[in-house]
Amino acid sequence: QVQLVESGGGLVQAGGSLRLSCAASGSIFSIIAMGWYRQAPGKKRELVALITSSDSTNYADSVKGRFTISKDNAKNTVYLQMNSLKPEDTAVYYCNVMGNARGYWGQGTQVTVSS
């Protein structure tokens, strides 16, 4: 059974930084991509950042230049460094891992940015 455990969310003032982590455990192999999504109240879940097995990255336009995604293959862990946070970044952030020919989701971690 595969589990994704997220950490690093919290409350921060606008302009501040947070680092999210997501560790995958269990029988997961052939990871194609790892990514972060977010969902704000009343809105659809949206892609924030994605990193592939070949280290290609993709970012939502709204976070380009502020967020950085990275991964540690040995630990099956993906990170999201979030700088210059804005109130509109407030959302529940979900980790997603594409492996074993399917996608897995984390439980979500709340990020709240106060103005």
Side-chain angles (χ1 to χ4, degrees):
Q1 187 175 358
V2 175
Q3 285 189 321
L4 304 184
V5 178
E6 300 158 348
S7 60
L11 173 64
V12 65
Q13 288 187 332
S17 298
L18 285 174
R19 189 191 193 208
L20 305 183
S21 299
C22 172
S25 62
S27 300
I28 187 165
F29 51 91
S30 299
I31 293 177
I32 298 172
M34 307 176 83
W36 290 93
Y37 292 72
R38 68 186 180 187
Q39 188 167 18
K43 295 188 177 181
K44 295 181 179 179
R45 190 173 298 188
E46 63 175 359
L47 174 68
V48 176
L50 186 77
I51 185 166
T52 69
S53 57
S54 59
D55 291 335
S56 294
T57 57
N58 187 35
Y59 294 93
D61 288 342
S62 59
V63 307
K64 284 181 180 177
R66 301 188 297 122
F67 291 10
T68 302
I69 190 169
S70 61
K71 61 183 173 71
D72 185 331
N73 293 327
K75 297 181 179 179
N76 279 345
T77 299
V78 62
Y79 306 96
L80 186 67
Q81 178 66 43
M82 305 185 293
N83 298 329
S84 302
L85 283 160
K86 303 176 180 180
E88 50 263 45
D89 293 319
T90 295
V92 178
Y93 284 70
Y94 296 91
C95 171
N96 177 271
V97 175
M98 295 294 297
N100 298 351
R102 57 161 287 181
Y104 298 91
W105 289 96
Q107 79 283 359
T109 185
Q110 177 71 46
V111 171
T112 302
V113 184
S114 63
S115 57

